[in-house]
Amino acid sequence: MKYSYPDQEGHFGQFGGVYMAETLIPAVEELRDQYLRFRDDPEFKAEFEYELKHYVGRPSPIYHAKRLSDELGGAQIYLKREDLNHTGAHKINNAIGQALLAKRMGKKRVIAETGAGMHGVATATVAARFGMECIVYMGAEDIQRQAPNVFRMKLLGATVVPVESGSRTLKDACNEAIRDWVTNVESTFYIFGTAAGPHPYPMMVRDFQCVIGDEAKVQMPEMIGRQPDAVIACVGGGSNAIGLFHPYIDVPEVQIIGVEAGGHGIASGQHAAPLTANSKVGVLHGNKVYLIQDENGQIIETHSISAGLDYPGVGPEHCLLKDIGRAQYVAINDDEALAAFDALCRFEGIIPALESSHALAHAMKIAPGMAKDKVLLVNLSGRGDKDMNTVANIKGITL
Amino acid sequence: MSRIDTTFENLKQQNRKALIPFITAGDPAQALTVPLMHGLVKAGADVLELGVPFSDPMADGPTIQRASERALKNGMSLRGVLDLVAEFRKQDTTTPVVLMGYGNPIEAMGWEAFAKRCAEVGVDGALTVDFPPEESHEAFEHLQAHGIAPIFLLAPTTKEARIEQVAKLARGYVYYVSLKGVTGAGNLDLSAIEEKLPQLRKHIKLPIGVGFGIRDAATAKAVAKLCDGVVVGSRIVQEIENSTEQNVVANVGRLVQELRVAIDN
Ligand SMILES: Cc1ncc(COP(=O)(O)O)c(C=O)c1O
């Protein structure tokens, strides 16, 4: 059977769907109808491709991290350089796509949630580019750990609203953005930052991010004459990962590995790895997914050194890929991610985002046990400039 | 006839409108929830909406968010809420109780176990804010099997085709959300409600309760004229927040009495 998800109601097997308050249902349905109308529209596609090429700077290159690979003495590590995109992460691919849709729907006000701030920056950027009002919700704790991005958003003309409720991180920023949307439903387009949420977001965000995997599928044969043995990406909500993975789902010889945030370790309970930790199925933020929760169905506070992975859920398509066994999900702890961060700085002159460092860390973990002619393609989803404060703090340095 | 149907039938015969207060179970203390429920009934409440606290109350404004946080801190859980209803029923076997909250705590318990326990303890209806009809097939099956009414929200943005669909599935009463926004917002528009109701009535034969944004006796009175029941949530929760454990039952009772008088006159 050919892999083809979601179904018309937005279900990926038992996952996904539209779990929203009644006031927002018509908005979500309108979004779905408009997206389905424009996704294959030649003019829409041409404009999206134009923006990706001339504004974002695509295609992003693939780079052979040779010194690092030699040091590890096993499989060759290649990096898909999403960090070189305008604004420094993969998030802009999706933000542009949704902004183009917002423009066609006549919405002049956009809102977004952000964790690490990369999606907030991407949204603020496209809002400036297309002349829209922009409000970004960000957990108060994340505002502290990602201060440079807060300033960037403000420079770009966005209003950054600190969220003080709950765990004061990404999930609470989502809650607050949904509250804004329900209040301003007619004027506002919610530019959601990851491949989760109510249908059509998981599908739409995936489609916009698939440019990553589509490019890689062409670039790898050009570079090495074949596809990689495995594709590896970090998974927060799962947008950079599904963007790389999806085009490879029907290439069975390519292994697919998603890397979640292990925080202080799965056993500690302080992590953000619902798939690896075998969390139960639940409903949050509009979709049914594997969800970190207690036995009473209350969402538990998560922990990760990287704000962008610090989320209790994960997109519905990753839940399905786990269940059908097409992708494998593992967790990388804070300290392993930090070691990978350092290694890429020192061996390759590339400062990765802490989120991306998780994917890299897993590649570094398995490469030594593999033959030298094996190839691992890691999605370097973003650059680490935003993480200077966090890393300096850990190293005991005040900037 | 169910407790909800009987209640609305009696009110109709008396030409009166239902007063439906909302409180969050476990706020300000688990031990005060049942006394508060009895106090609400004594003050004139016809149906009780009992909030099940959730860690991520996306449809709620700051007031009910804080109530949820307090209740969770007090150790309130869905099973605990159901136990409180059992306790309430020892003294009150007639006032309908509707649980209101988000779907995940029920998902975690399992819909079948939930519906069964609802029937055991005397819960009459369940309203899950984030479970629209499209995603509620399994939920319905179990609620129906145990005679628990699924209560639905309709909104100013709801289109006619959906009203029709909800009309088929709903039992008990239908809850019309009187504004675009979260609970506790203050921008209720009476003329918009008046305009929307005929469209709702065309398809919905059940009583229609209106809530969200009703903060004082005058508004409650005006809204009651238009529909069959008035739901008051954040204003009551705010009263709870501003009271001490000693005077909370009395304070809330006084407020609900005022609302009762306004609605009846
Ligand atoms: C650089 C980077 N990578 C990854 C993520 C995680 O998001 P997702 O799983 O949607 O790719 C983020 C989120 O903020 C990010 O900034």
Side-chain angles (χ1 to χ4, degrees):
Chain A
M1 209 180 74
K2 201 170 148 34
Y3 179 94
S4 172
Y5 294 95
D7 68 14
Q8 280 194 3
E9 284 82 44
H11 295 115
F12 298 80
Q14 67 163 313
F15 304 103
V18 182
Y19 293 85
M20 292 299 270
E22 180 58 34
T23 308
L24 286 173
I25 294 279
V28 172
E29 288 181 345
E30 186 198 358
L31 179 63
R32 177 198 63 198
D33 294 345
Q34 293 297 316
Y35 176 60
L36 290 175
R37 176 174 154 211
F38 286 113
R39 84 192 280 201
D40 297 316
D41 175 54
E43 214 173 285
F44 181 84
K45 278 165 71 172
E47 194 177 349
F48 183 51
E49 275 158 30
Y50 180 92
E51 294 295 330
L52 289 182
K53 181 171 173 198
H54 297 281
Y55 192 62
V56 178
R58 302 203 72 90
S60 67
I62 289 182
Y63 169 75
H64 181 193
K66 190 158 185 316
R67 257 181 34 90
L68 181 65
S69 305
D70 286 350
E71 177 71 16
L72 295 166
Q76 302 304 305
I77 295 177
Y78 284 71
L79 305 174
K80 178 66 173 159
R81 299 291 306 276
E82 291 299 300
D83 61 314
L84 294 177
N85 292 342
H86 178 43
T87 72
H90 68 292
K91 297 285 184 188
I92 190 85
N93 304 328
N94 167 53
I96 292 250
Q98 291 195 44
L100 291 177
L101 190 58
K103 199 176 86 176
R104 279 166 175 71
M105 290 170 68
K107 308 274 181 179
K108 296 243 155 44
R109 179 178 185 270
V110 297
I111 57 170
E113 84 297 338
T114 197
M118 297 312 276
H119 175 58
V121 167
T123 304
T125 298
V126 298
R129 164 81 182 76
F130 295 109
M132 296 161 172
E133 183 192 356
C134 177
I135 320 282
V136 179
Y137 293 92
M138 189 168 187
E141 178 173 335
D142 292 338
I143 284 187
Q144 275 194 351
R145 48 180 174 172
Q146 311 282 193
N149 270 346
V150 177
F151 188 58
R152 287 171 82 196
M153 287 183 264
K154 289 181 180 165
L155 284 177
L156 292 160
T159 305
V160 181
V161 181
V163 178
E164 299 283 355
S165 56
S167 56
R168 305 157 85 232
T169 59
L170 180 54
K171 94 174 159 71
D172 311 285
C174 280
N175 293 342
E176 212 52 42
I178 291 171
R179 290 181 189 121
D180 178 314
W181 199 20
V182 82
T183 308
N184 303 291
V185 56
E186 263 128 25
S187 66
T188 297
F189 189 107
Y190 185 1
I191 299 192
F192 193 63
T194 194
H199 181 60
Y201 285 107
M203 170 180 81
M204 178 169 70
V205 175
R206 172 196 75 196
D207 293 351
F208 290 142
Q209 292 293 0
C210 271
V211 65
I212 302 171
D214 288 338
E215 285 175 5
K217 248 173 132 174
V218 176
Q219 290 166 315
M220 287 310 294
E222 284 172 3
M223 285 183 88
I224 62 167
R226 65 180 180 88
Q227 296 299 346
D229 296 287
V231 289
I232 304 176
C234 67
V235 179
S239 69
N240 87 89
I242 204 68
L244 175 63
F245 295 171
H246 195 264
Y248 280 105
I249 288 175
D250 59 3
V251 188
E253 59 275 20
V254 177
Q255 200 191 345
I256 297 177
I257 307 173
V259 184
E260 295 187 302
H264 296 316
I266 299 290
S268 74
Q270 293 186 305
H271 59 79
L275 296 173
T276 315
N278 292 317
S279 300
K280 276 179 59 173
V281 176
V283 171
L284 182 70
H285 297 147
N287 57 177
K288 185 178 269 193
V289 294
Y290 288 116
L291 197 57
I292 298 177
Q293 54 183 312
D294 68 14
E295 72 279 8
N296 293 314
Q298 307 293 344
I299 312 309
I300 300 176
E301 283 192 22
T302 52
H303 166 78
S304 169
I305 192 175
S306 68
L309 303 182
D310 203 352
Y311 182 73
V314 58
E317 193 156 17
H318 290 289
C319 300
L320 175 71
L321 290 174
K322 177 191 163 162
D323 274 13
I324 64 176
R326 180 60 189 97
Q328 176 198 349
Y329 294 87
V330 297
I332 282 291
N333 298 350
D334 287 350
D335 49 357
E336 297 171 305
L338 275 168
F341 176 94
D342 278 336
L344 200 68
C345 291
R346 296 297 178 85
F347 284 100
E348 300 292 351
I350 298 171
I351 303 176
L354 283 174
E355 290 78 15
S356 325
S357 300
H358 285 72
L360 183 68
H362 185 69
M364 290 171 61
K365 203 181 219 177
I366 61 175
M370 297 170 75
K372 287 189 173 154
D373 62 350
K374 296 286 181 191
V375 171
L376 302 173
L377 176 60
V378 173
N379 200 10
L380 203 70
S381 55
R383 59 177 177 241
D385 308 37
K386 69 182 175 64
D387 295 314
M388 292 301 101
N389 285 339
T390 305
V391 175
N393 270 343
I394 289 165
K395 293 182 189 290
I397 299 161
T398 325
L399 295 180
Chain B
M1 234 187 344
S2 76
R3 269 188 287 257
I4 299 177
D5 297 343
T6 310
T7 300
F8 277 100
E9 193 55 45
N10 289 343
L11 285 164
K12 196 173 162 191
Q13 277 168 19
Q14 300 162 21
N15 223 346
R16 293 168 73 224
K17 302 301 171 74
L19 173 57
I20 312 177
F22 168 98
I23 59 170
T24 299
D27 172 41
Q30 287 200 38
L32 282 168
T33 296
V34 173
L36 272 168
M37 291 169 78
H38 288 309
L40 291 169
V41 176
K42 213 170 120 200
D46 300 297
V47 178
L48 303 182
E49 283 190 1
L50 194 55
V52 179
F54 183 49
S55 52
D56 294 81
M58 282 155 284
D60 287 300
T63 304
I64 295 181
Q65 283 177 45
R66 285 195 299 270
S68 239
E69 277 177 29
R70 286 192 296 269
L72 289 174
K73 221 174 258 157
N74 293 336
M76 200 72 255
S77 66
L78 176 57
R79 284 171 205 278
V81 175
L82 288 159
D83 291 344
L84 290 178
V85 176
E87 201 185 318
F88 172 78
R89 281 276 173 255
K90 286 181 190 161
Q91 281 182 53
D92 187 325
T93 55
T94 55
T95 309
V97 175
V98 171
L99 298 190
M100 179 166 179
Y102 297 80
N104 200 54
I106 306 179
E107 284 276 317
M109 183 174 178
W111 283 94
E112 190 174 4
F114 170 71
K116 186 162 168 271
R117 184 77 184 131
C118 279
E120 270 169 24
V121 302
V123 166
D124 302 284
L127 194 171
T128 33
V129 180
D130 53 349
F131 272 54
E134 291 85 348
E135 304 289 358
S136 301
H137 305 298
E138 190 203 343
F140 278 137
E141 214 177 279
H142 296 298
L143 293 177
Q144 297 276 40
H146 289 91
I148 310 302
I151 312 285
F152 283 101
L153 295 175
L154 290 176
T157 51
T158 306
K159 300 206 177 77
E160 187 147 0
R162 274 185 79 77
I163 298 174
E164 237 183 302
Q165 187 190 2
V166 166
K168 286 191 195 116
L169 300 167
R171 297 289 180 274
Y173 61 97
V174 168
Y175 185 157
Y176 180 65
V177 174
S178 46
L179 52 85
K180 295 176 202 115
V182 292
T183 55
N187 47 354
L188 175 143
D189 179 351
L190 272 178
S191 61
I193 301 174
E194 198 166 355
E195 232 168 85
K196 187 83 179 180
L197 276 168
Q199 195 190 34
L200 301 180
R201 294 265 192 228
K202 205 169 119 193
H203 302 286
I204 291 165
K205 302 305 163 204
L206 294 172
I208 297 175
V210 174
F212 278 44
I214 300 173
R215 307 195 50 79
D216 54 47
T219 315
K221 182 183 167 81
V223 171
K225 285 214 175 86
L226 303 172
C227 61
D228 308 300
V230 179
V231 187
V232 183
S234 295
R235 178 65 189 89
I236 292 174
V237 171
Q238 185 191 339
E239 194 68 23
I240 293 175
E241 187 165 48
N242 292 337
S243 298
T244 64
E245 297 204 354
Q246 285 69 41
N247 65 18
V248 66
V249 176
N251 287 356
V252 169
R254 201 173 313 121
L255 171 66
V256 171
Q257 239 159 13
E258 276 168 33
L259 295 168
R260 178 81 264 171
V261 170
I263 291 174
D264 286 348
N265 289 318

